[in-house]
């Protein structure tokens, strides 16, 4: 089952984001607090809205939409609660939108949340107007456009990193945390492959 999770981060191009949502083909939609405002702007009706509702403001929620209210003092972010709710409903593939921009603490926590999904064998991707972000510890196939940008950002020291279909190939390379060797590579065709034998690697498909 596929779940779309909409949080309250920055979204400036609703047409592009909605196109990505339609391509994903979610079976259910869960909004984290003010993520519901984004859903309204895209004419999307969520199955559930969760959170402490401290940032939703005066946006009215129709009675036919299920809500789950949590205390403001809690050990999880609203986005984490939305993810857990989707899992409880049976979802194992996730598209996160509205989880970047704004506060760095929330954005980084949301990006690092991909590790939790990876460890559970779930497919998860973050999309905003400029990035498609995934995390790998083994292998990933990318389908995109020729000449599009792909960056490999290590979250730990990564070993035996090999790429195919990128302009600047890597062969059993070491990517160290805090170094930019893997930034701003370019796809030479419509498919590319990245493998890493040890370590955690963010794969970011960027668009300007």
């Amino acid at each position: 089952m596929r779940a779309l999770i909409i949080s309250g981060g920055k979204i400036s191009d609703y047409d592009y984001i909605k196109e990505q949502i339609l391509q994903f083909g979610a079976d259910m939609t869960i909004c984290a607090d003010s993520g519901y405002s984004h859903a309204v702007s895209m004419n999307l009706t969520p199955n559930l809205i969760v959170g402490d509702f401290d940032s939703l403001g005066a946006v009215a929620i129709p009675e036919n939409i299920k809500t789950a209210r949590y205390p403001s003092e809690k050990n999880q972010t609203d986005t984490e609660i939305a993810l857990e709710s989707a899992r409880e409903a049976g979802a194992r593939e996730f598209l996160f939108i509205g989880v970047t921009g704004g506060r760095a603490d929330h954005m980084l926590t949301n990006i690092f949340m991909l590790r939790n999904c990876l460890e559970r064998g779930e497919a998860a991707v973050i999309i905003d107007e400029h990035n498609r972000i995934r995390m790998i510890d083994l292998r990933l196939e990318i389908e995109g456009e020729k000449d599009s940008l792909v960056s490999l950002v290590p979250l730990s020291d990564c070993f035996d990193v090999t790429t195919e279909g990128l302009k600047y190939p890597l062969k059993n390379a070491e990517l160290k945390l805090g170094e930019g060797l893997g930034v701003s590579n370019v796809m030479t065709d419509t498919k590319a492959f990245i493998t890493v034998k040890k370590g955690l690697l963010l794969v970011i498909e960027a668009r300007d």
Side-chain angles (χ1 to χ4, degrees):
M1 180 184 292
R2 294 184 168 189
L4 166 66
I5 296 176
I6 307 175
S7 294
K10 183 180 178 181
I11 298 178
S12 57
D13 187 345
Y14 285 119
D15 289 338
Y16 174 78
I17 294 299
K18 190 168 184 180
E19 179 184 339
Q20 301 306 305
I21 290 171
L22 292 175
Q23 290 180 13
F24 178 70
D27 300 296
M28 66 181 306
T29 299
I30 299 179
C31 292
D33 205 327
S34 59
Y36 178 61
S37 298
H38 292 316
V40 171
S41 296
M42 293 184 286
N43 294 315
L44 299 174
T45 302
N47 302 91
L48 174 66
I49 307 172
V50 302
D52 52 26
F53 295 91
D54 65 341
S55 57
L56 188 56
V59 178
I61 301 174
E63 294 183 358
N64 64 318
I65 297 178
K66 184 179 179 181
T67 62
R69 186 179 294 272
Y70 292 79
S72 57
E73 295 183 1
K74 56 188 186 301
N75 294 325
Q76 292 178 299
T77 66
D78 291 337
T79 303
E80 287 179 293
I81 292 171
L83 173 59
E84 289 301 323
S85 299
R87 284 170 171 161
E88 290 172 4
R92 294 296 179 268
E93 296 183 50
F94 306 100
L95 169 60
F96 297 93
I97 66 169
V99 298
T100 58
R103 285 175 49 178
D105 52 353
H106 280 288
M107 181 175 67
L108 290 172
T109 298
N110 291 333
I111 291 173
F112 295 154
M113 194 166 54
L114 294 175
R115 179 177 181 177
N116 181 270
C117 296
L118 182 65
E119 290 174 341
R120 296 170 66 111
E122 300 165 340
V125 58
I126 292 171
I127 291 179
D128 62 26
E129 291 88 342
H130 302 287
N131 308 282
R132 177 185 298 267
I133 306 170
R134 285 176 281 188
M135 186 184 297
I136 66 169
D137 61 0
L138 189 60
R139 181 176 171 84
L140 178 68
E141 176 182 337
I142 296 175
E143 293 187 7
E145 296 181 2
K146 184 179 178 181
D147 297 326
S148 59
L149 294 174
V150 177
S151 288
L152 308 181
V153 180
L155 295 181
S156 62
D157 290 348
C158 293
F159 300 92
D160 292 330
V161 179
T162 299
T163 65
E164 301 173 50
L166 296 180
K167 182 177 180 180
Y168 309 106
L170 298 174
K171 181 69 173 180
N172 297 326
E174 179 180 351
L175 298 183
K176 291 186 176 182
L177 176 65
E179 295 183 354
L181 176 62
V183 172
S184 295
N185 215 321
V186 180
M187 292 185 65
T188 57
D189 207 334
T190 57
K191 285 188 178 182
F193 302 87
I194 298 102
T195 59
V196 55
K197 291 188 178 179
K198 182 179 179 182
L200 288 174
L201 194 61
L202 280 180
V203 180
I204 303 175
E205 299 166 68
R207 60 189 293 266
D208 292 327

